[in-house]
Amino acid sequence: MHKKDQYIGLLKPWVIGPNTTMIDKDKEYFTVATWGTMHTSSSFKFAWLTSKIGKQLHSEGSGLIGETRQVSTWGFSDFRAETFTVWQEREDMAKFYKSSAHKNAMTSMKDDVSFRVRRVWVKGSDLPTPGDSKATKAFVLRIKSGDFPEAVKKS
């Protein structure tokens, strides 16, 4: 998915989740990178739905450690959006994925967006410092380059 895509567009600096107080530098955390492409006319709907999801993502008890997002436009018919989320536990991501806000957004955009997902394990010591744009960019490029071990999909 990402290995050939090394582009960094409008990348939001790293933000931590509301329950992130201490990160175990030696622990491997479940990390999800999503990449979606759509027609530019769908970008406003996508942004609105992402905003709604963001409130749930950053709510108490979500299990989110941190996240960043980026968007880029490659012409009128090619708008790209990426998310990079790190979770306390794999089950936290699964709970969020099955939530009504996420399901509603996915159902609403199913005919508009082509999604790809990469799941990897990232050590706490590899996470960027919140608000550090340079460290966030380096972290995203490492995910895109395949520097972290793949998290095999649970069956």
Side-chain angles (χ1 to χ4, degrees), residues 50-118:
T50 301
S51 174
K52 287 179 67 173
I53 289 173
K55 292 174 185 168
Q56 180 179 2
L57 187 62
H58 286 275
S59 66
E60 292 292 324
S62 69
L64 177 73
I65 289 178
E67 59 105 5
T68 187
R69 307 169 196 177
Q70 82 166 350
V71 296
S72 57
T73 302
W74 296 80
F76 186 70
S77 63
D78 190 0
F79 178 84
R80 297 180 190 178
E82 294 175 85
T83 64
F84 303 87
T85 54
V86 178
W87 301 88
Q88 288 285 347
E89 303 295 336
R90 188 178 199 138
E91 293 74 21
D92 294 323
M93 184 281 309
K95 182 179 172 185
F96 170 74
Y97 182 78
K98 294 174 184 175
S99 71
S100 61
H102 189 263
K103 277 186 174 181
N104 290 340
M106 295 300 287
T107 301
S108 178
M109 296 294 295
K110 72 178 175 136
D111 295 328
D112 300 320
V113 181
S114 173
F115 273 109
R116 295 183 187 130
V117 177
R118 170 180 273 168

Side-chain angles (χ1 to χ4, degrees), residues 13-70:
W14 188 251
V15 176
I16 60 171
N19 301 315
T20 305
T21 55
M22 190 166 160
I23 302 212
D24 182 341
K25 299 289 184 188
D26 296 319
K27 180 179 176 179
E28 287 190 324
Y29 293 100
F30 187 67
T31 302
V32 179
T34 65
W35 186 88
T37 185
M38 67 201 86
H39 192 276
T40 305
S41 62
S42 297
S43 64
F44 298 106
K45 180 179 178 183
F46 183 85
W48 179 73
L49 290 166
T50 301
S51 174
K52 287 179 67 173
I53 289 173
K55 292 174 185 168
Q56 180 179 2
L57 187 62
H58 286 275
S59 66
E60 292 292 324
S62 69
L64 177 73
I65 289 178
E67 59 105 5
T68 187
R69 307 169 196 177
Q70 82 166 350

